[in-house]
Amino acid sequence: MAEETTEETGGEEPEPERVPVDIRSRLALALDVDDLIEAKRLAASLRPYFGTIKVGLELYLAAGPTSVGYFVEAGFDVFCDLKLHDIPNTVQRAAGVVGSLGARWMTAHTSGGPSMLCAAVEGLAEGAANAGMPAPGVLGVTILTSDDTASEADLVARCDLAVDTGCGGIICAAPDLAITEPWADRLVRVVPGIRLPGGDTHDQARVAAPGDALVDGADLLVIGRMVTAADDPVAAAEELVASLLS
Ligand code: C5P
């Protein structure tokens, strides 16, 4: 396991046990930064609150596969959010690389169609198996929050597609949890756009409070700027957890 230096952690870490495991296991920290040192510092200080680290395009492009491997070795579940969408052969080979890194989850666009999603699922599983890593899962991105042309029928079709192609879950906005409920027993539902009431919504059009999203059936909440852009990220994470305990 990679050593975390005091410099990387930015000081003393809070006790991990203070946050109940059933809350920590449902919170994913979106490390949307372009610097691995900064990402490591954020992850170290917020470790007690988050069981999953989301490595998105920005960090992956800045720091490469090391960014995934580091957080895997540090003991987090890693959610590799690269939103793959290409020809099946390319997606299969790219997913194989992600699988070999030990990621727990990887995203691919359901709009890429059945062959591409099957290729993503196969590639991810093969990559993990070849590297002796535990079996990861593909999360199908249903409808981008920026897409205002997709219909409820599109969402339903994409949930069916995710199940039929062997995806482990989907990404959906909180308001879509009711529509996606029929697939809840077969798909893990991961929900971004989480904000505490009255908080800055930034560019997210469809936000929800963390407690409401969990009550509505979300399995994993993606927490980004609500915590990472706060003046005091640890205090913001405390506030988040307090809202779930109340
Ligand atoms: O900072 P914020 O909480 O808005 O971060 C949301 C995170 O979730 C970002 O990393 C973004 O890429 C991701 N995401 C999203 N909407 C989707 C899929 C992923 O906001 N439909």
Side-chain angles (χ1 to χ4, degrees):
M1 177 176 148
E3 289 290 321
E4 283 162 358
T5 64
T6 307
E7 196 187 338
E8 283 165 356
T9 61
E12 207 171 297
E13 285 183 46
E15 284 301 311
E17 294 77 17
R18 284 196 305 106
V19 179
V21 70
D22 60 331
I23 289 183
R24 186 177 182 270
S25 65
R26 296 174 79 178
L27 298 177
L29 178 65
L31 288 177
D32 293 325
V33 294
D34 64 4
D35 178 74
L36 187 55
I37 298 295
E38 190 187 346
K40 286 178 180 180
R41 284 193 180 130
L42 264 174
S45 63
L46 295 168
R47 185 184 188 99
Y49 311 94
F50 295 91
T52 299
I53 290 294
K54 186 171 90 72
V55 173
L57 207 48
E58 188 180 347
L59 183 57
Y60 195 84
L61 289 178
T66 306
S67 57
V68 177
Y70 176 82
F71 293 113
V72 170
E73 287 180 22
F76 291 98
D77 278 349
V78 176
F79 166 5
C80 199
D81 188 18
L82 300 179
K83 297 189 179 69
L84 299 185
H85 190 166
D86 208 317
I87 60 170
N89 181 62
T90 300
V91 166
Q92 183 156 352
R93 295 172 70 88
V97 174
V98 176
S100 73
L101 300 175
R104 172 69 189 86
W105 301 107
M106 181 203 78
T107 47
H109 281 285
T110 53
S111 57
S115 304
M116 191 209 80
L117 285 175
C118 285
V121 170
E122 267 177 46
L124 192 66
E126 278 166 10
N130 291 343
M133 295 290 184
V138 171
L139 298 172
V141 178
T142 52
I143 295 170
L144 283 176
T145 38
S146 55
D147 180 358
D148 54 10
T149 63
S151 65
E152 184 173 326
D154 291 327
L155 179 57
V156 165
R158 288 171 188 180
C159 287
D160 277 333
L161 187 57
V163 168
D164 292 347
T165 54
C167 290
I170 54 168
I171 310 286
C172 72
D176 293 339
L177 285 165
I179 301 167
T180 59
E181 181 64 31
W183 292 270
D185 57 339
R186 287 157 290 165
L187 295 171
V188 166
R189 292 181 295 164
V190 179
V191 176
I194 301 299
R195 297 292 186 278
L196 285 174
D200 189 341
T201 57
H202 304 101
D203 54 356
Q204 294 283 14
R206 305 169 78 205
V207 299
D212 292 344
L214 289 180
V215 166
D216 290 345
D219 296 294
L220 186 64
L221 304 181
V222 176
I223 308 293
R225 287 164 291 183
M226 182 191 131
V227 164
T228 57
D231 290 339
D232 183 345
V234 172
E238 281 286 344
E239 198 184 347
L240 161 71
V241 168
S243 80
L244 297 174
L245 290 170
S246 58

